[in-house]
Amino acid sequence: RLYQIPFEMPDCEGELETRTLHLIGDFSAPAEFFVTLGVFCFLYAMAALVLYLRFHSIYSENKKLPIVDFCVTVCFAFFWLVAAAAWGKGLTDVKAATRPASLIAAMGVCQGEEVVCNAGTTPAMGLANISVVR
């Protein structure tokens, strides 16, 4: 996928012109995996809750059902760990793609010999870092 970031860039006459920079890469797969797993975990938790509360006698009489429940829970826990690691890797990729040095290198106007381009500010990624830690 191409991600678009609009920014203002001066042309050679000093006028500001709005252009769109296209970032190369797809950064959505880790987030989609994490969200999909979260939805499946929620649905399984609701189904298990119904099983525990409504069909308690079937759950307690059947010897295989608790073992299957445990195995499914272990699988979800493993995939949750994998999804959290993928989320962190996706965030690292987004940080690398939006680093001011990378953006300046992608701007054609900054490639001139006597042109000096500086980044105004570094993007704030504090809340994104917290999302990975939590």
Side-chain angles (χ1 to χ4, degrees), residues 1-58:
R1 290 183 183 168
L2 292 175
Y3 289 90
Q4 300 178 356
I5 299 176
F7 62 94
E8 299 221 344
M9 178 172 57
D11 60 9
C12 294
E13 285 81 38
E15 298 289 323
L16 286 179
E17 176 184 349
T18 301
R19 293 194 183 176
T20 303
L21 176 67
H22 298 278
L23 297 178
I24 305 298
D26 184 6
F27 308 109
S28 64
E32 289 171 355
F33 177 55
F34 192 80
V35 170
T36 302
L37 185 67
V39 169
F40 285 149
C41 286
F42 174 76
L43 293 175
Y44 179 73
M46 291 298 107
L49 188 63
V50 167
L51 178 68
Y52 299 153
L53 296 177
R54 180 75 176 115
F55 304 105
H56 180 69
S57 61
I58 296 172

Side-chain angles (χ1 to χ4, degrees), residues 59-123:
Y59 187 81
S60 60
E61 291 171 4
N62 192 338
K63 299 297 180 193
K64 291 183 181 178
L65 201 55
I67 294 172
V68 170
D69 182 32
F70 175 73
C71 291
V72 170
T73 302
V74 167
C75 288
F76 271 125
F78 173 74
F79 283 126
W80 194 268
L81 179 66
V82 171
W87 182 280
K89 174 66 171 121
L91 177 61
T92 302
D93 293 344
V94 168
K95 284 181 181 181
T98 58
R99 190 175 57 236
S102 299
L103 295 176
I104 288 173
M107 293 181 201
V109 73
C110 294
Q111 304 304 322
E113 292 201 17
E114 296 184 12
V115 177
V116 177
C117 292
N118 293 322
T121 60
T122 302

